[in-house]
Amino acid sequence: MRKQITLKTDKLFTDLTDEIVSFASEWGHSGLVNIFSPHTTCAVWLTEDEVLHHADIRFFLDSMAPQFKDPEGNQKNIKYLHDLISLRNDVPADERINGHSHIRYLFFNSSETIPIENGKLILGEWKRIFAVELDPVRERKLVCSLIKE
Amino acid sequence: MRKQITLKTDKLFTDLTDEIVSFASEWGHSGLVNIFSPHTTCAVWLTEDEVLHHADIRFFLDSMAPQFKDPEGNQKNIKYLHDLISLRNDVPADERINGHSHIRYLFFNSSETIPIENGKLILGEWKRIFAVELDPVRERKLVCSLIKE
Amino acid sequence: MRKQITLKTDKLFTDLTDEIVSFASEWGHSGLVNIFSPHTTCAVWLTEDEVLHHADIRFFLDSMAPQFKDPEGNQKNIKYLHDLISLRNDVPADERINGHSHIRYLFFNSSETIPIENGKLILGEWKRIFAVELDPVRERKLVCSLIKE
C-alpha cells in the first residue's frame, strides 16, 4: 500500500508523523513503512521535535556548508562549483543557486524505514518523522510505502 | 518476524552482529533485515570492527560536534541551544545535557537494512552491525524486523 | 528477487541507475528496491548526476576528512589511528592506508531503499543511484533486492 504526501515546506523541519501514523493505522498490519523523498534537496530524517535542537542543526549546517552571498547581498553563491551555471548543460531556466543545499543533504537521508506492529509505528518516545527542506519554501511530494512482514 | 534487542551500551560501538545473524538463521528465508533504533541519541551503523577506526570516529565526532564543559568541570554544555533547558516546555526531570549527542546523530542512521539469502546475511567480509551510543551508558531497546522477499 | 551488481569503480560516483531501472522493469511488481554495499569504503547514495556537484562533494570530503601524506609524497596517512597497522591484529598483507575513507563513509549510506510502482522506480526528476567509491579504483559487488508490497 502506498500514499503520496504533498506538503509545502516553509521551514527546515516539517513534521509528517501524524499523517504516517494514521496511514499505518488504517492499514493495520505488521511490517515496515518507508518514507522516501524523490527530491535532491529535501530529505527525510527522524529526530526529536524540539525547536532549539532544530536551531542547533541549522547552525551546524550553516557552519559545515555555508551559503555565501556576494557583497551586494544578492543571492550569488560563489563557493560551490555546482552554482557555476554557465559551465553546465541543460540547466532549467528556474535553476536555484543551491550548491550548499546539495552538500547539506549529506547529513540526512533520502528515506527512513520504521517498523510497524499491528498498524502502530514503533517510533520511540521522542522520535518524530520530518521532511527536511534545504531550499527555501517549496512544494514537495514524498512517497510513503507500507510493506507486510 | 520481529525481535527486540535489549542492550546496555557502555561504549561508542556495541556489536550486534552475532545476535542478528542467529535470528536470521532461525528464520531461514530470503529477504531483508531492518535494525531500527527508536532512540534519538542511539543510532545503528555498519562498519569494520576495529578499535583504532572506532577511535578515529570518536575523535572526528569530538571535533565536529564538541561537548563543552564549564570551567569548574561540571557537565554543563553551553554551546547547544537544546541544552538551554529553562527555555523548553515539558522537560523530564532527568533530562540529559546532550545537545552534542543529537548533532552527532547526523553522521549515523536510525536504521540499517541488510539483504538475507536463505537465512544468511550478505554483510561482506568486514562489515559488522553496531549500535552507536552517543550518550553515556544507557539501557537501549532496538527492533530487528525480518521481511520476506 | 535479487541480483548482484559487479562494477569497477574508477571514480567517486558510478551511476547504477539504468541497471537497477531495467531489473525493476523485468520484475514488474510494486514494492521497494534496496541497493546494499557489503564494502566498508564503498557506499550507496542518491543525488543529482552533475559533475560540478560531484566535485563540490569531493572538496567537501577532502576538507572534512583529509588524507595526509608524508613529505616525500608517499601515501602514508599519519592522521588516522586505523592506519597504524603495526598496532592491529590480523591485518591482510594488502591492507590499504585508508583511515580517511572510513571516516568519509559517515556522510553516505550502506544502502538506499527506493519505492517501485508496477516495475517503475519512483526516483524523481533529478535523483540518480550511485556507488560511492572512497578508495582508489576497486572491483565491487553490490546487492540489489526487490521486495513486494
Side-chain angles (χ1 to χ4, degrees):
Chain A
M1 211 164 122
R2 176 159 294 154
K3 185 190 182 173
Q4 191 176 263
I5 298 178
T6 305
L7 67 158
K8 189 162 188 174
T9 53
D10 56 358
K11 49 193 174 188
L12 183 60
F13 288 99
T14 303
D15 194 325
L16 309 171
T17 316
D18 292 346
E19 188 163 355
I20 292 160
V21 162
S22 298
F23 185 48
S25 173
E26 282 167 45
W27 186 59
H29 299 289
S30 295
L32 298 174
V33 58
N34 177 271
I35 307 107
F36 179 83
S37 165
H39 308 286
T40 52
T41 52
C42 176
V44 183
W45 194 244
L46 308 182
T47 194
E48 198 176 328
D49 182 21
E50 199 282 289
V51 68
L52 297 175
H53 163 51
H54 298 177
D56 284 335
I57 290 186
R58 174 59 196 269
F59 285 131
F60 179 75
L61 297 174
D62 284 351
S63 132
M64 290 291 125
Q67 176 187 7
F68 288 135
K69 299 188 177 200
D70 71 4
E72 284 75 35
N74 301 316
Q75 199 200 40
K76 196 180 291 181
N77 192 321
I78 53 167
K79 192 191 182 189
Y80 301 92
L81 295 173
H82 181 61
D83 294 332
L84 299 174
I85 297 203
S86 60
L87 294 178
R88 289 165 51 192
N89 297 321
D90 305 320
V91 178
D94 61 346
E95 176 71 0
R96 290 165 183 260
I97 300 301
N98 65 356
H100 64 292
S101 310
H102 284 281
I103 295 297
R104 292 173 184 204
Y105 202 85
L106 293 169
F107 294 98
F108 303 99
N109 281 333
S110 284
S111 78
E112 292 284 353
T113 302
I114 303 156
I116 299 178
E117 191 75 28
N118 298 320
K120 201 171 157 6
L121 268 73
I122 308 178
L123 192 51
E125 193 180 351
W126 298 105
K127 253 180 184 165
R128 306 279 296 176
I129 307 164
F130 292 97
V132 185
E133 180 55 81
L134 300 169
D135 276 342
V137 185
R138 294 184 72 156
E139 300 260 345
R140 302 292 198 176
K141 287 176 204 302
L142 306 188
V143 182
C144 178
S145 308
L146 298 166
I147 300 287
K148 235 188 234 178
E149 220 173 36
Chain B
M1 209 163 122
R2 175 159 295 154
K3 185 189 182 173
Q4 191 176 264
I5 297 177
T6 305
L7 67 157
K8 188 161 187 175
T9 55
D10 56 357
K11 47 194 175 188
L12 184 59
F13 289 98
T14 303
D15 195 325
L16 309 172
T17 315
D18 292 345
E19 187 163 356
I20 292 159
V21 163
S22 299
F23 186 48
S25 173
E26 283 167 44
W27 186 59
H29 298 288
S30 295
L32 298 174
V33 58
N34 177 270
I35 306 106
F36 179 82
S37 166
H39 307 286
T40 51
T41 53
C42 176
V44 183
W45 194 245
L46 308 181
T47 194
E48 198 175 328
D49 181 20
E50 200 281 289
V51 68
L52 297 175
H53 163 51
H54 297 178
D56 284 335
I57 290 186
R58 175 58 197 269
F59 286 131
F60 180 75
L61 296 175
D62 284 350
S63 131
M64 289 292 125
Q67 175 187 8
F68 288 136
K69 298 189 178 201
D70 69 6
E72 284 74 36
N74 300 315
Q75 199 199 41
K76 195 179 292 180
N77 192 321
I78 54 167
K79 193 192 182 189
Y80 301 92
L81 296 173
H82 182 61
D83 294 332
L84 300 174
I85 297 202
S86 61
L87 294 178
R88 289 164 52 193
N89 296 321
D90 304 321
V91 177
D94 61 347
E95 176 72 359
R96 291 166 182 261
I97 299 302
N98 64 356
H100 63 293
S101 311
H102 284 279
I103 295 297
R104 291 171 184 206
Y105 202 86
L106 294 169
F107 293 99
F108 303 99
N109 281 333
S110 285
S111 79
E112 293 283 354
T113 302
I114 303 158
I116 299 178
E117 191 76 26
N118 299 320
K120 203 174 155 2
L121 268 73
I122 308 178
L123 192 52
E125 192 180 350
W126 299 106
K127 253 180 185 165
R128 307 279 298 175
I129 308 165
F130 293 98
V132 186
E133 180 55 81
L134 299 169
D135 275 344
V137 186
R138 294 185 71 155
E139 300 260 344
R140 302 293 199 174
K141 288 175 203 302
L142 306 189
V143 182
C144 178
S145 309
L146 298 165
I147 299 287
K148 235 189 233 177
E149 219 173 39
Chain C
M1 209 163 123
R2 176 159 295 154
K3 184 189 183 175
Q4 190 176 265
I5 298 178
T6 304
L7 67 157
K8 190 164 186 172
T9 53
D10 56 358
K11 48 193 175 190
L12 184 59
F13 289 99
T14 302
D15 195 325
L16 310 171
T17 317
D18 292 346
E19 188 163 354
I20 292 159
V21 162
S22 299
F23 186 49
S25 173
E26 283 167 43
W27 185 60
H29 298 287
S30 295
L32 298 175
V33 58
N34 177 270
I35 306 107
F36 178 83
S37 166
H39 308 286
T40 52
T41 52
C42 176
V44 183
W45 195 245
L46 308 182
T47 193
E48 198 176 327
D49 181 19
E50 201 281 289
V51 68
L52 298 174
H53 163 51
H54 297 177
D56 284 336
I57 290 185
R58 174 60 197 268
F59 286 130
F60 180 75
L61 296 174
D62 285 350
S63 130
M64 289 291 125
Q67 175 186 8
F68 288 135
K69 300 186 176 203
D70 70 5
E72 285 73 35
N74 301 314
Q75 199 199 41
K76 196 179 291 180
N77 193 322
I78 53 166
K79 194 192 179 189
Y80 300 93
L81 296 173
H82 182 61
D83 295 333
L84 299 175
I85 297 202
S86 61
L87 293 179
R88 290 163 51 191
N89 296 321
D90 304 322
V91 178
D94 62 346
E95 176 71 1
R96 293 164 181 263
I97 300 301
N98 64 357
H100 64 292
S101 311
H102 285 280
I103 296 297
R104 290 173 185 204
Y105 202 86
L106 293 169
F107 294 99
F108 303 99
N109 280 333
S110 285
S111 79
E112 292 283 353
T113 302
I114 304 157
I116 299 178
E117 190 76 28
N118 299 319
K120 202 174 158 358
L121 268 72
I122 308 179
L123 193 51
E125 192 179 351
W126 299 105
K127 252 180 184 164
R128 306 278 298 174
I129 307 164
F130 292 98
V132 186
E133 181 54 80
L134 299 170
D135 276 342
V137 185
R138 293 185 72 156
E139 300 261 344
R140 301 292 199 174
K141 288 175 202 301
L142 306 189
V143 181
C144 178
S145 309
L146 298 166
I147 299 287
K148 235 188 232 176
E149 220 172 37

